[in-house]
Amino acid sequence: WNNISSFIKPTDDDISAIFKDVKPNLGLVTNNEGDVYWPLYDINDIGTWNSHEGYQVYMNESDTLIIFGEQLDPETTSIRLSRGWNLKSYLPDQQLPVDIAVNSIASSLEIVTNNAGEIYWPAYDVNTMGYMQPGEGYKIFVHNSSTLVYPSVSSHNLRIADASINNPTSNVSTTPEYYIVQSGSTGSNSFLLIQSDHLQDGDEVGVWNTDNVLIGSGVVTNGKAALTVWGKNKMELESNFGAQQGDPLRLTAWLLTDNEEFPLTLESLVCLIRGELDDSVVRYEETMVIIASVRDPSAIPDRYTLQQNYPNPFNPTTAIQYAIPRYESVSLVVYNLLGQKITTLVDEKQRAGQYEVVFKADKLASGVYFYRLNAGHYTEVRRMILLR
């Protein structure tokens, strides 16, 4: 997937004409409204190219799109933004620092993100993007309807030819070194801000899907880490990368000073659109923006606990949380109503702490199931219901 735009007003704005030269390698084109140009099936709901809009383009093979036409003047071109998410064009013909580029909407801006999942989130002093680039399309979230007008590069006396322009600004977050996401740019994502007084600069936060695949990560700076969480690629559903809508997500932290990984337990969840969420786990929803506060990952529980799975009833995934107060051999096993073992979720020695495991029951029939935790001399069983 690619997010693209152009500072050129095409001579021929018919969408099929614009993509004619790359058509042999083109999969799908879609805009912010969900209209599509799908040449394989002779579908064209988009019709004509809009120079104010950005487009998501899925390519079966790499190629180069060339657009011919008249260059637009960014200072005299107004781009309307609706409340919520917008996929818009970048009109300057050279790169600009993102804070300068979107200064005209600073009062209503929440997030700017690019195709790579890099973020500019000024309210939380997060900037992993650095610069906006010609040819890219950008997703922009605003609280109120706004008008975006880009400045000219020359008006800011920026030396674009200077190599220093390619160096990120001082508030750009560092790249994770432990939690390295192996894929991305799936065309679907959401955003998660982790806050904790117990996380130190340089610690890393990872988010995992129900297949235990890392689908997002970030580095802690000033007690917070911003993560782009990748959803399933709708053109490559057989891949195990990404999350399905509604899937529970598992959070972990890699503590730099301890050189160890710890599970993260939530204290609160706040959605940018819905407000506070009454959930004990983070669940994936495309384009959602969530601020999560987490407990001290290295805090030692004072007793054994096995929580009720959430959600319950569930279909097809649910999260199970438990705590152990000392280093123990731990097993967590799922059984059916006849007492037959279905699967073992945990079978290892674990240090004291809070833990969360995601149970995926996509191949099981509806019914009542049990899960049993054994840790040292502690045993507890709880019931859960799979309802399809």
Side-chain angles (χ1 to χ4, degrees):
W1 282 100
N2 307 263
N3 289 350
I4 71 165
S5 70
S6 177
F7 53 81
I8 297 295
K9 181 179 180 181
T11 303
D12 185 350
D13 63 2
D14 182 82
I15 204 79
S16 60
I18 287 174
F19 286 94
K20 179 181 178 181
D21 290 342
V22 300
K23 186 176 178 180
N25 295 320
L26 177 64
L28 183 72
V29 181
T30 182
N31 62 13
N32 193 62
E33 286 71 41
D35 301 321
V36 300
Y37 169 52
W38 204 341
L40 179 62
Y41 297 100
D42 198 27
I43 296 173
N44 186 359
D45 299 328
I46 297 176
T48 57
W49 178 276
N50 185 338
S51 298
H52 295 189
E53 301 294 321
Y55 295 88
Q56 283 191 299
V57 180
Y58 183 84
M59 298 295 295
N60 298 314
E61 299 288 344
S62 298
D63 210 332
T64 300
L65 177 67
I66 300 175
I67 299 177
F68 297 94
E70 178 185 355
Q71 184 169 343
L72 294 165
D73 180 2
E75 290 185 288
T76 60
T77 305
S78 299
I79 299 176
R80 294 294 300 165
L81 303 178
S82 301
R83 183 181 181 274
W85 284 105
N86 302 261
L87 178 57
K88 293 298 180 180
S89 59
Y90 177 71
L91 296 182
D93 61 358
Q94 299 183 67
Q95 62 184 1
L96 276 173
V98 59
D99 56 332
I100 293 176
V102 296
N103 184 61
S104 62
I105 56 170
S107 61
S108 60
L109 176 66
E110 183 68 28
I111 288 179
V112 181
T113 181
N114 61 14
N115 189 62
E118 296 168 328
I119 311 170
Y120 173 56
W121 200 343
Y124 294 93
D125 195 28
V126 172
N127 184 357
T128 60
M129 185 184 303
Y131 294 86
M132 297 179 76
Q133 304 284 351
E136 290 252 15
Y138 290 88
K139 291 181 180 179
I140 304 174
F141 187 98
V142 290
H143 296 290
N144 304 294
S145 297
S146 309
T147 301
L148 172 63
V149 179
Y150 291 108
S152 69
V153 175
S154 59
S155 67
H156 290 274
N157 298 316
L158 296 174
R159 297 176 60 194
I160 301 302
D162 190 339
S164 64
I165 198 72
N166 295 312
N167 295 329
T169 52
S170 59
N171 64 335
V172 175
S173 299
T174 56
T175 302
E177 296 182 1
Y178 184 77
Y179 288 137
I180 300 174
V181 178
Q182 298 298 324
S183 189
S185 301
T186 63
S188 171
N189 56 29
S190 63
F191 302 94
L192 178 62
L193 186 81
I194 300 295
Q195 295 181 310
S196 175
D197 294 335
H198 308 288
L199 295 174
Q200 306 299 316
D201 287 0
D203 291 346
E204 297 183 19
V205 176
V207 57
W208 309 78
N209 68 7
T210 55
D211 291 318
N212 204 33
V213 175
L214 183 69
I215 58 172
S217 64
V219 179
V220 176
T221 305
N222 298 324
K224 57 185 179 292
L227 292 76
T228 297
V229 183
W230 294 102
K232 287 283 187 183
N233 189 329
K234 294 167 183 158
M235 301 292 282
E236 301 173 7
L237 290 176
E238 71 282 358
S239 170
N240 67 352
F241 182 79
Q244 296 275 24
Q245 193 80 350
D247 278 356
L249 304 175
R250 182 170 63 90
L251 301 173
T252 59
W254 177 263
L255 304 188
L256 188 63
T257 54
D258 294 337
N259 200 33
E260 288 192 65
E261 184 177 75
F262 293 83
L264 286 178
T265 305
L266 298 176
E267 287 186 333
S268 67
L269 274 178
V270 177
C271 172
L272 201 62
I273 299 172
R274 300 182 196 167
E276 188 168 355
L277 302 177
D278 186 23
D279 285 348
S280 60
V281 296
V282 179
R283 308 186 76 81
Y284 179 79
E285 290 189 46
E286 187 174 358
T287 73
M288 287 281 279
V289 181
I290 293 177
I291 296 96
S293 296
V294 297
R295 298 174 187 166
D296 181 358
S298 60
I300 298 176
D302 58 2
R303 61 191 177 93
Y304 296 94
T305 58
L306 176 63
Q307 303 293 336
Q308 184 64 52
N309 64 298
Y310 180 87
N312 188 44
F314 68 98
N315 177 29
T317 57
T318 189
I320 300 170
Q321 297 178 340
Y322 62 93
I324 56 174
R326 59 178 60 88
Y327 183 72
E328 298 275 21
S329 293
V330 177
S331 69
L332 181 63
V333 181
V334 177
Y335 299 89
N336 63 17
L337 201 56
L338 299 176
Q340 298 167 321
K341 183 169 72 172
I342 300 299
T343 187
T344 299
L345 299 177
V346 179
D347 185 16
E348 63 183 13
K349 286 193 173 182
Q350 294 181 328
R351 62 178 298 161
Q354 307 275 347
Y355 292 88
E356 179 179 292
V357 178
V358 174
F359 174 47
K360 190 173 184 179
D362 51 348
K363 296 181 180 179
L364 297 179
S366 296
V368 177
Y369 295 86
F370 298 91
Y371 56 99
R372 183 177 70 190
L373 176 70
N374 288 326
H377 298 294
Y378 174 83
T379 299
E380 187 167 353
V381 178
R382 287 187 179 269
R383 185 179 73 164
M384 58 184 170
I385 301 173
L386 173 60
L387 188 61
R388 296 193 181 278

